[in-house]
Each structure stands twice: as C-alpha cells, then as structure tokens.
Amino acid sequence: MKKTLLIFLVLFHLTVFAQKTNTEVFESENYSIVMPDTWKITNDDGIVNIFPTNQIGAVTISEYHDLELPKAETKKFILALYNSSEDEKKIKSSGGKKGYTEYFYEYLDEKDQLLWITKVFQKNKDLYIISINCENKYWNGNYMKVFNETFDSFKIKK
C-alpha cells in the first residue's frame, strides 16, 4: 500500500510540475498551425518551414490551388516527392474534414537517415502538403512529441 501511494505521489508530482512548451500560432490566409514559440519559421515563395533552432528537422507546409491532379494520381505524386519505389498501398487515404481526402505516408530515407512523415489534403483543385523531416537519430522522446504535436495542429480554414 505504501509503495502504491509513493508511486502515485511521484507520478502526480511529475504530471503537475511537468514543463509545458510555450506555443504560438502561425496563421496564413488558408490554414493555421501551432508551433513552439522558440522555433523559427521561414516562408520561401509560399513554402513554409518551421524548425527548432538546432535544425535537426522541420515541419514543411506547401499549398497549391488550381492544380489539376486527379485523385487516381495523388499516391503516385506523393511517392514521386521522395523518389520512392515503395508500393502505393503504403500510403493510407481517408475522407477528411471539410470534404478533403487525406493521405498519410511515412518514409525513411536510408541514404540521408531522414524520417519523413507526410499528410496530403486534397479537395477539387486544392492541395496542401504538410510533412515532418527529422534526422532519424533524433526521432525519439521530446523531439518526436513536439514535432507530432506541431504536425497534428495543422488546420485548414476553408
């Protein structure tokens, strides 16, 4: 009983006093994303990169409008982004929010030891690509958690 109480108190203490990362919201005309307030952001001709100061990886967002990409070709397009020879079945797709079809793909670049996680949102002629790239050796613990939280906070406004 005493051991159980001690374990409970330790876990409670860790939960209450755990350090919470301060965040800020990046807003564009068409989407928003929540990121750690210590991270940097660049916008190169509409391609947004959000990354920690040590630059071990990034969350990248690009958006395309008036793009003629048939849904039947989207999985091939995603594989082509990484010069991947993997089967299209590796890409998961589902009906997403607001009428978007959502595609999900994970890829490990063996040569550069980079992990890529990509979501593509497609609706009519609109396409949003959001991806994480992170050096594989850092993909654990806090980096994995913070990258995923940022990645998962992406919201399309319209």
Side-chain angles (χ1 to χ4, degrees), residues 25 48 71 81 131 134 153:
V25 177
V48 173
K71 286 190 178 189
L81 289 172
S131 62
C134 184
S153 74

Side-chain angles (χ1 to χ4, degrees), residues 21-24 35-41 51-54 146:
T21 304
N22 292 328
T23 60
E24 64 183 62
M35 60 186 230
D37 66 353
T38 58
W39 283 19
K40 295 183 179 184
I41 190 164
F51 52 92
T53 55
N54 62 5
V146 175

Side-chain angles (χ1 to χ4, degrees), residues 55-57 106-117 132-141 143-144 147:
Q55 299 183 17
I56 54 100
E106 288 187 38
Y107 175 71
L108 177 61
D109 181 334
E110 297 282 348
K111 179 182 171 217
D112 293 328
Q113 286 299 299
L114 284 175
L115 175 69
W116 291 87
I117 300 174
I132 297 172
N133 71 71
C134 184
E135 292 180 39
N136 195 37
K137 66 183 177 183
Y138 294 109
W139 191 250
N140 58 35
Y143 282 117
M144 180 174 66
F147 271 112

Side-chain angles (χ1 to χ4, degrees), residues 63-87:
E63 62 181 301
Y64 304 92
H65 305 283
D66 297 322
L67 180 68
E68 294 286 345
L69 179 64
K71 286 190 178 189
E73 299 295 315
T74 304
K75 289 184 178 183
K76 291 177 188 167
F77 171 78
I78 295 168
L79 291 172
L81 289 172
Y82 303 102
N83 295 320
S84 174
S85 60
E86 291 187 316
D87 192 296

Side-chain angles (χ1 to χ4, degrees), residues 6 14 16 26 48-50 60 72 79-80 97 99 113 137 144 146 151:
L6 180 61
L14 289 174
V16 170
F26 173 79
V48 173
N49 290 292
I50 303 168
T60 301
L79 291 172
K97 296 176 184 170
Q113 286 299 299
K137 66 183 177 183
M144 180 174 66
V146 175
F151 186 72

